[in-house]
Amino acid sequence: MKNKILVLLIITIVLLLFPLFYNHYAIDYSEIKIRDVLVTNDNTNVLVYARVSHFTPDLEKAILAGVPTTFSFKIEFYQDEEFWFDKRLAQVEVKKNIKYDQIKKTFYLTSDFERAPAVFQGFDVAWPAIAEINGIPIINTKHLNQDQKYYARIKMEWENYRLPFYAKLIRIFLSFRDFETDWQSQPFHFQQ
């Protein structure tokens, strides 16, 4: 009976103190932002350009440790309605997967919008390919009207490494976690 009480007491203390230790060692991802958002059009499509401000050193360490990592850029395009809810006209997700081969000292980057994987020899070279989206088509301009107001919004989500099913429970003790940036909005003026 005393052993059961002692075990329950220890579990209770650990559960009560866990948030203090977790917050102390947790990584602050709030400083990572979407920057330099540009929404423009060519002859047929509305195109979005953007980049992530930076990665924390811990994210870079995770990638350099060989952890397969996925970054998802979520883009939404809206028609601005003055007296009603804005109407979403398009939604696009761009996933970028990066894997570092520690033996070959090579980064492999795959993306939804690229046919073949890109190969990079250094993180400083791979960084722009990971952190930027360049000219992603989100909607055909034939669906737009010059008299209407539009805007695009974008955010990035980082999907942490994949643990085996049995190890997912220990993930709460790790400093890495999935996160997402805040939405960044950019108005768009349609020009033919």
Side-chain angles (χ1 to χ4, degrees), residues 57-182:
D58 294 313
L59 287 174
E60 185 176 341
K61 284 179 192 173
I63 293 169
L64 289 172
V67 175
T69 306
T70 301
F71 297 92
S72 297
F73 291 89
K74 299 194 185 252
I75 307 165
E76 297 178 347
F77 189 75
Y78 287 86
Q79 180 176 314
D80 193 358
E81 298 290 343
E82 193 169 334
F83 299 111
W84 194 244
F85 296 108
D86 294 347
K87 181 179 179 183
R88 185 171 61 197
L89 301 176
Q91 181 176 357
V92 175
E93 181 175 14
V94 178
K95 287 193 176 210
K96 293 188 175 191
N97 302 301
I98 187 160
K99 173 77 169 106
Y100 180 61
D101 185 332
Q102 294 176 322
I103 296 170
K104 295 180 182 177
K105 305 287 188 216
T106 304
F107 294 89
Y108 297 95
L109 179 70
T110 58
S111 173
D112 295 344
F113 283 82
E114 301 294 329
R115 294 179 191 257
V119 179
F120 302 97
Q121 295 301 321
F123 189 77
D124 57 332
V125 180
W127 160 251
I130 302 166
E132 296 178 355
I133 57 169
N134 293 313
I136 300 297
I138 54 174
I139 191 169
N140 194 301
T141 55
K142 70 180 179 181
H143 301 293
L144 305 181
N145 183 344
Q146 271 192 315
D147 300 331
Q148 191 68 43
K149 293 180 182 178
Y150 301 99
Y151 66 93
R153 63 186 207 147
I154 182 172
K155 74 175 178 176
M156 185 201 67
E157 295 177 351
W158 176 53
E159 299 172 20
N160 205 342
Y161 47 89
R162 301 292 175 237
L163 293 173
F165 176 75
Y166 60 85
K168 287 189 180 194
L169 294 176
I170 66 166
R171 187 176 191 183
I172 61 173
F173 297 105
L174 301 173
S175 61
F176 298 113
R177 67 183 194 281
D178 292 349
F179 83 95
E180 60 187 44
T181 64
D182 293 331

Side-chain angles (χ1 to χ4, degrees), residues 1-10:
M1 183 67 175
K2 286 185 179 184
N3 287 342
K4 289 181 182 180
I5 292 173
L6 182 61
V7 169
L8 285 173
L9 182 62
I10 291 172

